[in-house]
Amino acid sequence: LQAFFSIQNVNEVTTEMITEFKSQLLLDKLSPKTVNKYITFFRGFFQFCTANQWIKSNPADSTLIPNMKETTPEPHHFSNGEYKLILENSQEYTQFFEFMYETGIRPTDAYFLTKKDFYVENNTMYINIKFRKNNKSFNVPISKIARGIVENAKTNLFPMFQSAGAGNKSRLTLKRCFNGNAQGYGKRYCKKRGIVMHTFRHTFAMRKLAAGVPLDIIAQLMGHSKTRMTELYARYIPKTNLIDYI
């Protein structure tokens, strides 16, 4: 949870975060049995924290454990209209959301990016980092829009994440982008469609597929070591050049 949400203290964890983490584990094709173990561990751990009065309540208590027949949910991807709403209402997080939309990078890897994580070769900008999730190297070209965000930034691309609680605020901001006239509409809208921060990553994959990008190229652009994960989005398409699809 610390790596996935970039949090520092146990009292920052919410039920919504654990539910989002559970959904991502299922999308990553972990078996319900394995996901059960995660949820059971969280319940025990946070019960211990509650008993020691480090937190007021157990955020994992109301998280449903998936049954053995539970299928992987279909990942939501943003429509053009949804993405327009995000850009219009995301305030100081606009460039952060735009960067994730353009690169498909995991939010936990985007939080602390600096200009040192990028370089230019043959007039193309590349991102060169190690994933926080598994410490694997990630070195791929990025789009012109993403490059513009990098070039216009100072040392840290998204300095708001240097302060505590910014990760939670960005998730709340995403939900508020869809607020209607009814109170809590944005939260209900996102919950019904499974919209979370990781939806930017799903959207990146679907956009590339719609543009005719081969599956193995999308896997490289997303940092998947195997196309098995990328097959969540489409069937195999013949190989082509990586840079042509940026």
Side-chain angles (χ1 to χ4, degrees):
L1 285 175
Q2 183 181 32
F4 192 81
F5 290 107
S6 189
I7 56 176
Q8 302 298 323
N9 301 304
V10 292
N11 57 14
E12 295 180 57
V13 179
T14 64
T15 300
E16 186 179 48
M17 291 167 67
I18 295 177
T19 301
E20 180 179 336
F21 183 71
K22 183 196 82 168
S23 297
Q24 188 55 48
L25 292 178
L26 291 170
L27 285 172
D28 287 345
K29 292 212 168 181
L30 271 70
S31 69
K33 182 178 180 180
T34 301
V35 178
N36 286 348
K37 291 180 179 179
Y38 274 97
I39 302 304
T40 301
F41 169 78
F42 289 149
R43 285 181 176 173
F45 172 75
F46 287 111
Q47 183 60 42
F48 175 78
C49 294
T50 305
N52 283 276
Q53 299 184 338
W54 298 336
I55 55 176
K56 293 182 179 179
S57 60
N58 189 335
D61 268 349
S62 59
T63 305
L64 296 177
I65 292 180
N67 60 56
M68 298 306 292
K69 295 182 179 179
E70 184 168 341
T71 56
T72 302
E74 181 180 350
H76 183 82
H77 59 280
F78 294 122
S79 65
N80 290 336
E82 287 174 331
Y83 184 56
K84 182 180 179 181
L85 276 175
I86 291 171
L87 294 185
E88 289 175 349
N89 298 288
S90 50
Q91 302 169 2
E92 72 267 34
Y93 291 95
T94 299
Q95 287 199 323
F96 174 67
F97 291 155
E98 190 174 18
F99 187 84
M100 291 199 299
Y101 182 85
E102 286 293 325
T103 63
I105 192 172
R106 294 181 184 90
T108 49
D109 292 312
Y111 287 151
F112 303 110
L113 286 173
T114 70
K115 299 190 80 165
K116 293 181 180 179
D117 296 318
F118 302 85
Y119 68 94
V120 176
E121 184 177 284
N122 296 328
N123 205 32
T124 299
M125 179 171 282
Y126 289 75
I127 182 172
N128 184 24
I129 61 172
K130 286 191 175 181
F131 287 136
R132 293 169 65 89
K133 180 179 179 180
N134 52 27
N135 207 36
K136 290 184 178 179
S137 296
F138 181 60
N139 188 350
V140 298
I142 62 174
S143 70
K144 291 181 179 178
I145 293 176
R147 177 175 180 170
I149 293 173
V150 175
E151 291 178 338
N152 290 329
K154 295 182 180 179
T155 302
N156 296 307
L157 263 65
F158 311 111
M160 70 283 287
F161 291 107
Q162 308 306 306
S163 59
N168 282 334
K169 187 179 177 184
S170 67
R171 286 184 286 277
L172 289 173
T173 299
L174 178 60
K175 291 177 175 59
R176 289 170 182 157
C177 289
F178 300 100
N179 275 345
N181 294 326
Q183 185 176 4
Y185 177 82
K187 184 176 181 179
R188 293 194 297 272
Y189 183 96
C190 292
K191 183 176 181 180
K192 182 178 180 180
R193 291 160 180 78
I195 294 175
V196 293
M197 296 294 283
H198 218 73
T199 304
F200 287 99
R201 189 162 168 81
H202 303 321
T203 303
F204 175 83
M206 296 303 293
R207 286 175 55 235
K208 294 302 178 185
L209 285 167
V213 183
L215 195 65
D216 59 333
I217 299 300
I218 298 174
Q220 292 181 62
L221 291 172
M222 298 183 73
H224 291 158
S225 57
K226 298 180 181 178
T227 58
R228 180 180 63 85
M229 281 303 304
T230 323
E231 287 168 3
L232 288 169
Y233 308 101
R235 298 177 180 178
Y236 176 78
I237 306 172
K239 295 182 179 180
T240 189
N241 188 287
L242 189 65
I243 298 177
D244 291 345
Y245 290 99
I246 294 298

